[in-house]
Amino acid sequence: MSIKLNYENVGLRDHELEYVRPLAEAAFGTLTRHTGPGHEMLGWLELPYTYDKEEFARIKAAAKRIQEQSQVLVVIGIGGSYLGARAGLEFVKGPFGNQLREKGVEVYFAGSNLSADYMQDILNIIGERDFSVNVISKSGTTTEPAAAFRIFRAELERRYGISGARDRIYATTDRTKGALREMAEQKGYKTFVVPDNIGGRFSCLSAVGLLPMAAGGMDIDRVMEGCLHSCEVYENPNFLGNDVMLYAALRFLMLMKGKRVELLASYEPALTMFGEWYKQLMAESEGKDGKGLFPVSANFTTDLHSIGQFIQDGSRIMFETVLWVEHTRHTLTIPNDPVNADGLNFAAGVSLQEMNEKAMKGTLLAHVDGGAPNLIITLDRLDDYTFGELVYFFWKSLAVSGYMIGVNPFDQPGVEAYKKNMFALLGKPGYENMQEALEARLKS
Amino acid sequence: MSIKLNYENVGLRDHELEYVRPLAEAAFGTLTRHTGPGHEMLGWLELPYTYDKEEFARIKAAAKRIQEQSQVLVVIGIGGSYLGARAGLEFVKGPFGNQLREKGVEVYFAGSNLSADYMQDILNIIGERDFSVNVISKSGTTTEPAAAFRIFRAELERRYGISGARDRIYATTDRTKGALREMAEQKGYKTFVVPDNIGGRFSCLSAVGLLPMAAGGMDIDRVMEGCLHSCEVYENPNFLGNDVMLYAALRFLMLMKGKRVELLASYEPALTMFGEWYKQLMAESEGKDGKGLFPVSANFTTDLHSIGQFIQDGSRIMFETVLWVEHTRHTLTIPNDPVNADGLNFAAGVSLQEMNEKAMKGTLLAHVDGGAPNLIITLDRLDDYTFGELVYFFWKSLAVSGYMIGVNPFDQPGVEAYKKNMFALLGKPGYENMQEALEARLKS
């Protein structure tokens, strides 16, 4: 296993894990026996065994085709149709992947906001270069991606004509129904499937995430191998031998002790978007019925000079889960300086990674001393395989955790509220009755 | 004033602001009379009147010189020596400023972490192109920037020789003392001053932030004009007429009502780094003595499909402060589609900005209905002037807020804890006694 959980610094008494063990085991059983709320959305649980191999081959072929026909891929999606692929690409390629152009096409994400400036910037970055579009939407009617798709499709059709555009649009959508499925079949786009039994935040190892990842240069075979490995390892019904159950139990204990915020901290900027992916997974799964640990992410040591003061000595509402990466892609060493004005010669010849590790360990002890318990998840390295492993670890642990706090981890009813109001304010047919009432509230 | 505070959706009873008015006024008086803890660090309070005009001219000249000699500027700094300039550049140029290359040099930030991959990526992005370095450190001995400066200085000297490197290094540091000041004078670097009476998180409108902003193409005259305007407007001693006092009082009320988290949400990705700047300002100023609202930031509508579920219906620990931008740089309009498969024709001809506004208003009402009070700060547009205004607004309001919760808003003692442990673990001279004890704890 290239990921490991360490909970020595959480500050538990000896009996505490043992006392919550029955709860974690019950939640684990509810999950694995498919008997809990939302059990119809467990398509991710055995995904590495069950995924569609024929479609997988088509995804790889489409990625190759995109790399041949374009320098840029615009991925249009929001929420789960956006975060996983971006998290994966930055996990493996780092935050500057598009600028370094070491492998795969440049990938930009649109349709996840309504900012005109953001969308125009992407159009300008593309410039005269060739681009393709992967539009991802189960329904095809979600406002943000639908709006972006209209704009980028118009641009493709302007440049390449109707039939040229058809050859550059890849639609990932419902298998049989919905607006995007209908449009794709009518127009003749290549299509891929958003599975029925996998929710958005669990969808990044379906076509939803795999096509952008593959086009951007990731090795999706290795991603699925990592996912398979996690799937096998975390079937273990032995509580103390299964990090998925342990992590869920530890989060539950933190909540019981009054913590309100979980801070996912990493020491690699390449994990910034993984933090965003984690935030969706946690917040949408557990933030309901007035419950849940609020998920936050941070980059260390950067943010030790920002929110570090608060973690050390502010209101005692948080614990930390640290993602630590053992091996970096590159090695850099502190040069010696005969003058030593900065007093750093004690570290001359030391690698940055070693300094980073000392910073991590020093921070760990400092924060524990300050009253912020620390969990550590150690990753071997930031590669395709580990991404697959880690995603599955968080999926399954979150599902157990959600059942431990008594929520349905697989729905997200609260996401509809803003959409309905937005539709009403925009005058969408069917929402006329709400419009007047909302406008009256805004004017008051 | 191009920024406005709206607190109609916070859900206060009529008397509530009036009842805390004496507290806000007392805190405001403590600040403006320089009688509170940390009052020796109030150099920012009248900065737009008192700043060094001769140095300001030298900053503009240096920025011009950097633009002539280089395509890339590497800014080396951490915390307050990093966040303000980056926030400003993205505020004005958007998140893709380095790729769009519309004005100024490309600016990359190093020395704010210990990631070898991150640093090597920046070296690779520079490639064979010419670059300059602005190293920013009051002491010159902070580990992260000192390590990065050794690496980038070595690269400059390798490429351009000692004297060529001297011409490309700009040091912003203490006026008279410290390791970087000594090195700069010895080596003959151009120098700029980190003022003595301005702490890191209040330093972005000194040379610390102004040089990178100017080199990256910002109009720093306009920035200072905006700052001056705020400085004048927020001198108003009338509580209900001064948004600085009102925002501080509203945050205080939220804390009193049990909120633990303030979420700064914006609808423009260009504000992402402003959110990071805000997090440092708030967390370092208030997160001490076990107190403080924990500051978090989000991008909407993106994150409505991530943490949106939690905000709507999770644990009721947060309120929101929304940054709304009235005018975007670009205009894009939803194209009409005769087929209308996505059902979006009801919005054909509508601008993205108008849709974004309906999303903001719809979200506001949805979140208020869900029990998350909302404040709105409306900005006219994301330009240099507004950046100067907004920075000062947050500085002064935060200072009032800090005094209202009874902390020294101008120190950050908790930031030292991790540094000391890191030094000890690295075997830095002077920390030998700690080293053994820490290592024993890590092994246990």
Side-chain angles (χ1 to χ4, degrees), chain A residues 149-215:
Chain A
F149 186 43
R150 283 201 178 196
I151 288 168
F152 282 97
R153 183 160 52 95
E155 180 61 20
L156 281 176
E157 290 177 353
R158 190 187 67 76
R159 291 189 189 199
Y160 304 106
I162 299 284
S163 88
R166 172 194 307 140
D167 195 36
R168 291 170 175 278
I169 295 174
Y170 302 80
T172 306
T173 187
D174 191 88
R175 186 182 304 276
T176 56
K177 63 184 188 302
L180 183 55
R181 166 59 59 187
E182 281 170 38
M183 187 196 293
E185 300 206 338
Q186 191 195 334
K187 299 248 185 189
Y189 303 149
K190 282 194 184 57
T191 64
F192 302 91
V193 172
V194 181
D196 281 327
N197 58 354
I198 297 181
R201 59 192 177 274
F202 295 83
S203 71
C204 69
L205 302 192
S206 75
V208 168
L210 291 173
L211 179 54
M213 289 194 261

Side-chain angles (χ1 to χ4, degrees), chain A residues 133-359:
Chain A
V133 165
N134 179 200
V135 55
I136 306 167
S137 176
K138 189 153 178 74
S139 67
T141 58
T142 303
T143 310
E144 291 88 342
F149 186 43
R150 283 201 178 196
I151 288 168
F152 282 97
R153 183 160 52 95
E155 180 61 20
L156 281 176
E157 290 177 353
R158 190 187 67 76
R159 291 189 189 199
Y160 304 106
I162 299 284
S163 88
R166 172 194 307 140
D167 195 36
R168 291 170 175 278
I169 295 174
Y170 302 80
T172 306
T173 187
D174 191 88
R175 186 182 304 276
T176 56
K177 63 184 188 302
L180 183 55
R181 166 59 59 187
E182 281 170 38
M183 187 196 293
E185 300 206 338
Q186 191 195 334
K187 299 248 185 189
Y189 303 149
K190 282 194 184 57
T191 64
F192 302 91
V193 172
V194 181
D196 281 327
N197 58 354
I198 297 181
R201 59 192 177 274
F202 295 83
S203 71
C204 69
L205 302 192
S206 75
V208 168
L210 291 173
L211 179 54
M213 289 194 261
M218 284 177 72
D219 181 342
I220 61 172
D221 286 303
R222 291 291 290 160
V223 173
M224 295 309 292
E225 285 164 25
C227 183
L228 172 63
H229 188 214
S230 269
C231 186
E232 290 168 349
V233 167
Y234 299 128
E235 278 173 6
N236 186 354
N238 175 8
F239 176 65
L240 290 174
N242 188 332
D243 284 350
V244 151
M245 269 191 277
L246 283 168
Y247 178 49
L250 291 160
R251 296 179 77 249
F252 180 80
L253 284 167
M254 291 295 102
L255 192 61
M256 291 300 106
K257 288 164 185 271
K259 299 303 184 194
R260 314 306 299 267
V261 171
E262 179 180 26
L263 179 79
L264 189 79
S266 83
Y267 287 76
E268 289 296 337
L271 287 168
T272 304
M273 287 308 301
F274 190 85
E276 296 298 311
W277 176 86
Y278 146 89
K279 280 159 60 178
Q280 185 198 14
L281 183 69
M282 298 308 193
E284 268 191 3
S285 300
E286 295 195 329
K288 53 195 69 163
D289 301 340
K291 298 179 183 175
L293 281 164
F294 184 62
V296 174
S297 63
N299 290 321
F300 289 167
T301 61
T302 306
D303 292 338
L304 293 172
H305 294 250
S306 153
I307 57 171
Q309 166 67 38
F310 195 109
I311 300 169
Q312 189 67 46
D313 193 36
S315 131
R316 300 294 75 197
I317 58 172
M318 69 176 62
F319 71 101
E320 287 175 88
T321 298
V322 174
L323 289 180
W324 171 249
V325 181
E326 286 202 309
H327 301 96
T328 51
R329 287 181 285 131
H330 300 286
T331 301
L332 283 169
T333 301
I334 309 296
N336 189 52
D337 177 356
V339 178
N340 195 29
D342 56 11
L344 200 63
N345 272 356
F346 73 93
V350 173
S351 72
L352 272 188
Q353 173 66 1
E354 194 179 333
M355 294 191 76
N356 214 6
E357 186 179 357
K358 301 299 187 195

